[in-house]
Amino acid sequence: MYVREYSELPGLQRAGRVRYALDGGSGVFQFRITRQPEGKNAVFHLAGVSERAAQDLLCFLYENSVSPEQAFAVAQDSMEMPAVVFADDPAGRQDKF
């Protein structure tokens, strides 16, 4: 897990924090990127890669300050086959992108 802190810069940005977390194993990893205090949240999964590759993606998202709103798209663009980035839909079906 990584946490990026942002200071208050009047007229430029509000104080806050973005948390980058990775869970899972057995070839399927869950990413959760959360911005506080707004509560913006992104959750998606990655399959078909090693644990090291999942950790590297998490570090990449953190080091490049990727926002929750952009994290899913950046992960899709960054990973190569055989990796699969997907999200769970509310009905429980997993859609692959």
Side-chain angles (χ1 to χ4, degrees), residues 44-77:
F44 60 90
H45 297 83
L46 175 64
V49 299
S50 67
E51 184 174 354
R52 181 68 205 176
Q55 291 169 346
D56 286 348
L57 177 59
L58 184 71
C59 185
F60 176 83
L61 295 172
Y62 165 75
E63 288 184 356
N64 289 281
S65 299
V66 176
S67 69
E69 296 87 352
Q70 300 298 318
F72 182 73
V74 170
Q76 286 180 304
D77 290 346

Side-chain angles (χ1 to χ4, degrees), residues 3-62:
V3 177
R4 183 166 299 284
E5 299 282 340
Y6 295 92
S7 57
E8 181 75 26
L9 300 172
L12 297 173
Q13 76 180 15
R14 293 177 25 195
R17 159 182 309 132
V18 178
R19 180 176 175 243
Y20 301 82
L22 175 65
D23 291 310
S26 302
V28 179
F29 303 93
Q30 181 187 63
F31 289 75
R32 183 176 300 272
I33 294 84
T34 307
R35 182 175 43 241
Q36 295 297 330
E38 296 94 350
K40 298 283 184 181
N41 193 43
V43 179
F44 60 90
H45 297 83
L46 175 64
V49 299
S50 67
E51 184 174 354
R52 181 68 205 176
Q55 291 169 346
D56 286 348
L57 177 59
L58 184 71
C59 185
F60 176 83
L61 295 172
Y62 165 75

